[in-house]
Amino acid sequence: MKIAIYPGSFDPITLGHLDIIRRAARCFDKVFVCVLYNCDKKAPMFSPEKRLEMIRHAVAELPNVEAELFSGLLADYAREKKASILVKGVRNATDFDLEYQMAAINRGIWEELETVFLPACGAYQHFSSTMVREMIRYGQPLDKYVPLAVVEELERQKKADEDGRI
Ligand code: PNS
């Protein structure tokens, strides 16, 4: 059984991430989407629990995909899951340079841990969670960039803010 992990911060999940998850789900028997929340990124927009909830909604129709939270070393999570494959989406040469290094670091920690790169599909090549957070700050429509679960979460938050102000 080939078990793969697709790790990231997912703050929030984008359609680019979802495309990689769908494609990974066709390549492997089981895919764990792992929301890592110990990264040194400051001030996340969404709590780890909210990120997880949105991912779970977005992958609900994929039977061999599960999403979980993890705080720690990715290699430890992979061992815990008996997974020896990490999946990373690569959009451009900058991503590749970074991911190439991370793959070597992860193999240095556990030499059986392989990283498989999936090239981002052209339509999502310029998508990033950073870009989406910027769109949210400026109130831009998001349906082109993120799964419906994220749009609905933001609508809920907006309504709660408005109700709080009344
Ligand atoms: O979505 P991101 O922020 O680009 O994902 C980066 C992430 C979370 C995959 C990376 O920071 C990571 O693997 N963090 C876990 C800590 C770890 O295992 N570090 C060693 C490998 S670089």
Side-chain angles (χ1 to χ4, degrees), residues 18-30:
L18 189 55
D19 179 59
I20 298 289
I21 296 168
R22 284 205 179 102
R23 287 160 58 199
R26 289 200 293 265
C27 298
F28 304 105
D29 299 307
K30 176 93 194 177

Side-chain angles (χ1 to χ4, degrees), residues 4-152:
I5 311 258
Y6 179 49
S9 324
F10 305 108
D11 186 32
I13 182 171
T14 69
L15 289 179
H17 292 132
L18 189 55
D19 179 59
I20 298 289
I21 296 168
R22 284 205 179 102
R23 287 160 58 199
R26 289 200 293 265
C27 298
F28 304 105
D29 299 307
K30 176 93 194 177
V31 177
F32 287 99
V33 180
C34 176
V35 182
L36 282 146
Y37 61 94
N38 61 329
C39 326
D40 51 8
K41 289 187 181 166
K42 292 170 214 125
M45 181 171 268
F46 296 95
S47 70
E49 292 75 17
K50 191 53 78 182
R51 286 181 248 162
L52 178 66
E53 188 187 311
M54 293 188 286
I55 294 170
R56 283 185 171 159
H57 276 107
V59 303
E61 91 280 13
L62 300 170
N64 60 336
V65 176
E66 242 180 85
E68 294 185 334
L69 288 180
F70 188 75
S71 169
L73 202 61
L74 184 54
D76 287 340
Y77 178 76
R79 271 205 195 96
E80 194 181 290
K81 293 289 157 193
K82 299 187 178 6
S84 57
I85 302 153
L86 300 175
V87 173
K88 297 291 188 99
V90 173
R91 292 165 297 184
N92 49 42
T94 309
D95 274 359
F96 180 79
D97 284 348
L98 187 69
E99 294 301 344
Y100 188 88
Q101 281 178 34
M102 282 208 258
I105 294 168
N106 283 315
R107 281 197 73 212
I109 298 169
W110 179 24
E111 66 174 17
E112 283 168 42
L113 190 54
E114 288 293 353
T115 300
V116 171
F117 297 143
L118 292 184
C121 113
Y124 304 129
Q125 222 161 11
H126 60 294
F127 283 27
S128 69
S129 298
T130 307
M131 175 200 81
V132 168
R133 291 195 299 273
E134 198 74 350
M135 297 289 187
I136 293 171
R137 282 188 199 103
Y138 291 101
Q140 288 297 301
L142 284 175
D143 28 331
K144 270 191 299 196
Y145 306 111
V146 294
L148 188 62
V150 180
V151 176
E152 287 176 349

